[in-house]
Amino acid sequence: METGQPFLMPNRNKIIQHNELSIHSFANGFSFCSKSKIDFLPTNNDQKEFKKAFEELIDCYPKNTFSSISLVHFEDPSTFVPKALFDEANLERYLKHYKTNNRKSYFQYDAPDQSNLVNVYSYPKKVKIILEDIINDFQETHYNSLLSRTILNIATTKTQLYIHLQKDCMDLFLTMDKSIVFHNRFSVLSEDEFLYYTFFVVEQFKLESNAFDIIFLGKIDLFNSFYNAIKIYHQNIHFHQEFIIGKQAVENHNAPFLSKCFS
């Protein structure tokens, strides 16, 4: 059974304020998100030309417009490590299963207070160099830290499979008794691939059809074919938030659900 807006976004899952700029870094470029608009700057292989274009876009905003700037990383997947087992010296080891170029990557982690998990991730060093050279002060995080915070705030004692759809990929989070027990990102280019990875996880955890809920993060027209595809095989489907995602956000942001949610 499909229902609408069964959950509310807690206040600490912040929606961007009038005086904030959030820069979202993807493998193919940057989305510049403010309260009024979203701009996208595609990556240019010519580092000097790209930096110039980046500076010009930043300069389009009036001086002292923003009281804070955040950087959210989407470039690569992340991995979650239990806080009790986490060691900052092992950041590279935690990500060894991903194809990470250690010489060209910067390793980082987020350790939210409300979670017993540490989110470990990497991103290209050139991203940090560009940002630090142009912007003096900014806070950074990984998008999975935002997703996990949202999920932990709304998760119940039931078994729930959360799905976050992006352009060309998706994130799956499985929760049991208000805890994240599985997470992964999968490349998805068709409805068949979407169904395959979703039910692969279902099979691996031996979930019975009526014993768990599927919860999509956001309801966005761009992904209607995926919603319709899974309805054939599962009934307990819900949506967390059905706010309208504008055309500009869909066109200029690879993960529309997070186009207005910031650190």
Side-chain angles (χ1 to χ4, degrees):
M1 178 177 64
E2 177 184 338
T3 61
Q5 284 189 297
F7 308 106
L8 295 176
M9 176 72 89
N11 290 335
R12 57 181 172 271
N13 288 323
K14 187 171 57 175
I15 302 299
I16 193 167
Q17 303 300 313
H18 286 285
N19 59 346
E20 183 181 2
L21 173 67
S22 194
I23 302 172
H24 295 188
S25 179
F26 295 92
N28 64 335
F30 293 81
S31 290
F32 294 76
C33 308
S34 66
K35 187 71 176 178
S36 60
K37 63 176 181 175
I38 298 176
D39 295 309
F40 183 75
L41 179 65
T43 301
N44 188 330
N45 290 329
D46 187 319
Q47 190 76 356
K48 291 183 178 180
E49 287 297 320
F50 177 73
K51 183 179 176 182
K52 180 181 177 182
F54 196 103
E55 289 177 323
E56 289 175 350
L57 186 51
I58 288 290
D59 288 341
C60 286
Y61 298 99
K63 297 294 183 182
N64 302 319
T65 297
F66 304 109
S67 62
S68 63
I69 297 177
S70 63
L71 172 64
V72 182
H73 294 285
F74 289 79
E75 303 95 341
D76 295 309
S78 66
T79 190
F80 289 94
V81 180
K83 280 185 179 178
L85 302 176
F86 176 73
D87 185 343
E88 188 174 354
N90 293 328
L91 295 183
E92 295 183 27
R93 288 184 57 194
Y94 295 136
L95 295 171
K96 65 181 180 180
H97 295 299
Y98 297 120
K99 295 179 180 179
T100 302
N101 188 325
N102 293 358
R103 291 179 298 175
K104 295 184 179 181
S105 297
Y106 185 85
F107 293 85
Q108 184 61 284
Y109 67 92
D110 299 331
D113 292 337
Q114 70 271 30
S115 173
N116 63 353
L117 299 172
V118 177
N119 187 25
V120 180
Y121 56 97
S122 67
Y123 59 89
K125 287 182 178 178
K126 64 181 180 181
V127 171
K128 196 171 186 69
I129 292 172
I130 290 173
L131 267 292
E132 288 184 338
D133 201 28
I134 299 174
I135 303 171
N136 294 326
D137 185 28
F138 61 90
Q139 296 180 333
E140 61 184 344
T141 190
H142 191 273
Y143 80 94
N144 273 331
S145 298
L146 305 183
L147 290 181
S148 64
R149 184 178 65 189
T150 298
I151 290 167
L152 289 173
N153 283 336
I154 64 176
T156 69
T157 55
K158 296 177 65 176
T159 298
Q160 299 172 312
L161 184 61
Y162 289 87
I163 301 177
H164 172 244
L165 292 169
Q166 303 186 51
K167 296 175 184 176
D168 300 335
C169 69
M170 73 172 180
D171 304 281
L172 290 180
F173 289 80
L174 180 64
T175 66
M176 294 180 178
D177 196 21
K178 298 184 178 182
S179 297
I180 295 173
V181 298
F182 172 84
H183 157 260
N184 208 343
R185 183 166 96 178
F186 300 96
S187 175
V188 172
L189 300 177
S190 68
E191 289 79 4
D192 287 341
E193 290 181 343
F194 162 70
L195 293 173
Y196 172 81
Y197 288 119
T198 300
F199 288 105
F200 171 78
V201 174
V202 170
E203 182 180 347
Q204 291 298 303
F205 283 87
K206 297 180 171 57
L207 303 180
E208 296 183 6
S209 180
N210 295 322
F212 72 99
D213 293 333
I214 289 178
I215 301 170
F216 286 97
L217 296 178
K219 188 174 185 181
I220 302 161
D221 288 346
L222 177 67
F223 304 122
N224 276 340
S225 62
F226 295 94
Y227 307 146
N228 293 330
I230 205 166
K231 287 179 186 177
I232 301 173
Y233 303 98
H234 194 78
Q235 292 186 339
N236 298 330
I237 296 175
H238 310 276
F239 293 89
H240 170 58
Q241 293 202 326
E242 295 186 44
F243 52 73
I244 297 174
I245 303 294
K247 180 179 178 182
Q248 186 191 47
V250 172
E251 291 178 346
N252 294 331
H253 201 288
N254 292 339
F257 173 71
L258 288 173
S259 64
K260 294 185 179 180
C261 299
F262 302 90
S263 60

